[in-house]
Amino acid sequence: MNKKILTIQDISCVGQCSITVALPIISAAGIETAILPSAVLSTHTAGPFGHFTFRDLTEDLPKINKHWNDINIKFDAIYTGYIGSKLQIDYILDIISTTLKDGAPLIVDPAMGDNGRLYTGFDEDFVSYMAKLCAKADVILPNLTEAAYLLKEECILANYDKEYIEGLVRRLAGLGAKVVILTGVGFKENELGVCIYDSKEDKTSYYLHNKISQSFHGTGDVFSSSFVGAVLNGFDYYKAAQIAADFTRQSIALTIEDKAEHWYGVEFESALPKYMQMLGK
Ligand code: PXL
């Protein structure tokens, strides 16, 4: 029987992020993908789009959950991304407690900032709510910026050493998550990858590769979605992070190759066959 996952994040109608990334990628991994939109935006909130509409769906969340509970809907995993409001976090905790199958993984991408700053609309109060959600997770997938905000620490984005990164992942696990996958890690200028920390074994591993100098919006969502697809296909967290990093890197390379100045996201679509191949499909 097919596995069924629920992903909770926004619909940015144009912008190649959140649900428009998660649905195709997780579906390509052969997993049925139910969605719960946290908000509907005309575009994502970053970069030169300049303006965006925002319909907050907070009040729909408990009603949708009530219906699902009435008909006994259960999920094999829940994956959360960009959340529309603080109050949603409490509703999402209810949704997790009533719809996630026993022992099934909760994977949280605390999508709320990058490059040392929070995205438009978020503040430190929101971060403390996101920390509450991270505490319940089996896996969290923060970037360096989100990690620092979650820990209320200074944001260090370059010239750090392994001691800093390994302290960071341990402190993040201290928030409550079992496994931490820290993204955007590199010790040399031309290096980029992830640090994987398993708190049960107190074990840190890295998957680093050559950095492509250009960076693109939405790569975090491509990484997290492809990670989730790999986990649901039975890959362990290290191997799933490796597949996700390779797929994300390939998506960036293809975007650059296209030369169409696709500035608002990555053209992950052309890399999907490679992703399916990596999953053995
Ligand atoms: O990719 C993260 C993301 C998701 N959703 C919205 C965003 C962003 C990043 O800016 O604005 C609406």
Side-chain angles (χ1 to χ4, degrees):
M1 201 177 71
N2 255 7
K3 286 193 173 152
K4 176 161 80 236
I5 183 179
L6 170 66
T7 186
I8 309 174
Q9 41 189 323
D10 70 285
I11 296 178
S12 286
C13 299
V14 172
Q16 272 187 321
C17 67
S18 320
I19 285 180
T20 63
V21 167
L23 252 179
I25 293 177
I26 302 171
S27 299
I31 310 296
E32 180 185 340
T33 311
I35 59 165
L36 182 51
S38 55
V40 180
L41 294 84
S42 50
T43 64
H44 63 60
T45 64
F49 280 128
H51 166 73
F52 54 90
T53 68
F54 188 96
R55 178 165 301 274
D56 181 357
L57 296 178
T58 301
E59 290 315 317
D60 291 64
L61 266 51
K63 295 181 203 158
I64 290 171
N65 193 36
K66 160 103 184 38
H67 181 207
W68 287 348
N69 291 166
D70 289 346
I71 54 174
N72 201 29
I73 298 278
K74 301 278 179 201
F75 299 105
D76 298 298
I78 294 183
Y79 154 42
T80 69
Y82 183 103
I83 307 293
S85 72
K86 278 188 304 198
L87 182 54
Q88 281 188 3
I89 305 264
D90 288 330
Y91 290 149
I92 289 170
L93 289 169
D94 283 344
I95 292 167
I96 292 162
S97 71
T98 56
T99 66
L100 186 60
K101 285 184 186 166
D102 278 349
L106 169 64
I107 300 172
V108 173
D109 178 351
M112 56 189 177
D114 206 359
N115 302 314
R117 296 177 53 192
L118 292 175
Y119 298 138
T120 307
F122 293 141
D123 57 18
E124 307 211 345
D125 201 21
F126 178 82
V127 175
S128 61
Y129 275 75
M130 186 60 97
K132 255 185 7 180
L133 182 58
C134 287
K136 297 272 179 233
D138 292 278
V139 186
I140 58 171
L141 301 145
N143 59 31
L144 287 172
T145 300
E146 290 152 352
Y149 272 97
L150 283 168
L151 294 169
K152 300 190 172 64
E153 293 180 8
E154 183 198 353
C155 204
I156 301 174
L157 300 176
N159 303 321
Y160 45 73
D161 54 15
K162 282 201 167 162
E163 203 183 328
Y164 170 68
I165 293 298
E166 291 174 18
L168 205 56
V169 290
R170 285 194 173 87
R171 291 194 293 284
L172 283 164
L175 295 175
K178 297 186 188 88
V179 172
V180 177
I181 316 262
L182 183 64
T183 61
V185 175
F187 299 102
K188 294 183 245 154
E189 215 174 300
N190 62 347
E191 199 173 63
L192 189 67
V194 293
C195 174
I196 300 117
Y197 177 67
D198 184 335
S199 65
K200 202 163 132 216
E201 293 173 28
D202 191 27
K203 183 169 169 247
T204 310
S205 357
Y206 293 90
Y207 184 63
L208 302 167
H209 44 57
N210 266 355
K211 183 178 177 175
I212 302 178
S213 57
Q214 234 171 310
S215 68
F216 287 90
H217 189 269
T219 50
D221 297 344
V222 171
F223 178 84
S224 297
S225 301
S226 50
F227 172 82
V228 167
V231 167
L232 275 268
N233 271 277
F235 290 92
D236 65 33
Y237 292 136
Y238 179 82
K239 185 67 189 157
Q242 189 178 350
I243 290 172
D246 287 345
F247 172 61
T248 306
R249 192 176 187 282
Q250 169 118 29
S251 302
I252 295 171
L254 288 168
T255 311
I256 293 171
E257 227 170 78
D258 182 25
K259 306 232 185 306
E261 293 204 28
H262 189 80
W263 57 267
Y264 56 77
V266 275
E267 296 174 33
F268 65 87
E269 295 86 354
S270 345
L272 282 174
K274 187 75 195 295
Y275 175 57
M276 292 170 74
Q277 212 177 31
M278 288 190 278
L279 295 179
K281 302 214 168 278

